[in-house]
Amino acid sequence: GEGREHPYLANTLNNLSLALQYQGRSGEAEAPVRESLRMWRTLVGDNHPHTAVALTNLAFLHQTRGQYAAAESLYREALSIQEATGEENAAGRMRATHNLARILHIRNQYGDAEVLYRKAIELGEGSLGADHPDVAETRLALAALHVDQGRLSEADPLLRDAVAFPWPRGSWLETLALNTLAVCEAREGRVGEANSLFARCRAGLLGASGAPAWKREPLERTIGVYEAWNLPEEAAVYRRELESLPR
């Protein structure tokens, strides 16, 4: 009957929105995710993990557009829903905690972001295992935070672990790990190693690979390195990529 089709349609709209976001078509992505959220609220109520996932996807859409205050509010709502669920949903709480940490990191609220990254790692190790890709992603995010904090000696071993992690070949996380270690090495004065790492991740950072939203911070860090090295032409290559990202 019609009622059974609603969850399927809500899921389909959600997946359509994600696909549009990954193609950089964020303008078209908003209507389906808002309709999906409206459907889930009707179907399962305001305090269900399905509703939290729809809130998260709407938050990510705001994040890709640089609407960080709106994204943070939605991520907080999603986390409060996930935290109200039982212990069996530790993985859902881990992802929601990671997402809120990321937006606080982007908004330069480093202390709060660090607390949440560490909490997400603890939840993930307990529910998914220390070698799970989601846990490795959060450890990489914590390492990038340490780079932004100037805590390079703490970031370095975490980043070497991230570079060694078996990410899917050519994935955006592999590119991000290489690039963040390159920035760390550059700031520590190891120019040769930094240049080698920048060369390894150049194609991934300048080519299309997953949602463009992840590229903003590594591009900004890379531009900063090349400007510090007084290489404006190389910085300009990355700046053009940064300016091409959809808002």
Side-chain angles (χ1 to χ4, degrees):
E2 187 182 348
R4 285 200 303 275
E5 291 172 8
H6 280 311
Y8 176 79
L9 182 55
N11 255 333
T12 302
L13 287 166
N14 196 47
N15 291 338
L16 172 61
S17 175
L18 286 173
L20 290 166
Q21 287 184 55
Y22 273 87
Q23 292 166 21
R25 295 159 66 185
S26 67
E28 299 165 71
E30 185 165 353
V33 76
R34 285 194 179 278
E35 180 61 11
S36 176
L37 176 58
R38 186 197 66 75
M39 286 178 131
W40 283 124
R41 287 193 193 279
T42 302
L43 285 161
V44 296
D46 291 339
N47 299 309
H48 191 281
H50 288 330
T51 305
V53 169
L55 284 165
T56 296
N57 291 331
L58 181 57
F60 184 69
L61 180 60
H62 283 298
Q63 181 179 324
T64 64
R65 292 173 171 176
Q67 298 162 345
Y68 298 139
E72 180 182 335
S73 176
L74 290 162
Y75 281 136
R76 287 189 183 279
E77 188 179 351
L79 178 57
S80 71
I81 294 169
Q82 297 285 22
E83 285 186 330
T85 61
E87 284 302 313
E88 70 278 2
N89 190 36
R93 284 186 288 134
M94 181 260 177
R95 287 304 308 178
T97 303
H98 171 101
N99 290 333
L100 180 57
R102 281 284 300 122
I103 201 72
L104 294 175
H105 180 177
I106 290 167
R107 302 190 79 192
N108 299 325
Q109 297 174 30
Y110 292 160
D112 291 342
E114 181 175 351
V115 169
L116 288 168
Y117 279 142
R118 292 189 183 280
K119 182 178 176 185
I121 290 166
E122 185 180 333
L123 282 167
E125 287 178 346
S127 59
L128 301 170
D131 296 329
H132 192 279
D134 285 359
V135 180
E137 180 183 342
T138 305
R139 281 197 295 263
L140 170 55
L142 176 62
L145 176 70
H146 287 333
V147 170
D148 292 338
Q149 291 171 310
R151 291 159 60 181
L152 303 177
S153 62
E154 292 174 73
D156 199 292
L158 289 171
L159 289 168
R160 291 184 188 281
D161 287 347
V163 166
F165 190 82
W167 308 110
R169 186 83 183 132
S171 79
W172 69 272
L173 286 161
E174 179 184 52
T175 298
L176 183 60
L178 287 164
N179 179 266
T180 312
L181 181 57
V183 171
C184 186
E185 295 305 296
R187 292 186 185 174
E188 289 187 288
R190 292 193 281 272
V191 175
E193 187 170 358
N195 267 323
S196 171
L197 289 159
F198 278 132
R200 286 172 64 190
C201 63
R202 181 185 173 94
L205 195 53
L206 296 177
S209 171
W214 70 269
K215 289 187 177 184
R216 193 167 301 279
E217 293 154 279
L219 285 168
E220 288 170 348
R221 293 186 194 111
T222 304
I223 291 162
V225 168
Y226 283 118
E227 287 179 343
W229 285 351
N230 198 25
L231 294 170
E233 290 176 8
E234 194 65 15
V237 173
Y238 290 92
R239 190 172 297 285
R240 280 194 294 275
E241 181 75 12
L242 179 64
E243 289 169 354
S244 78
L245 296 185
R247 272 295 199 191

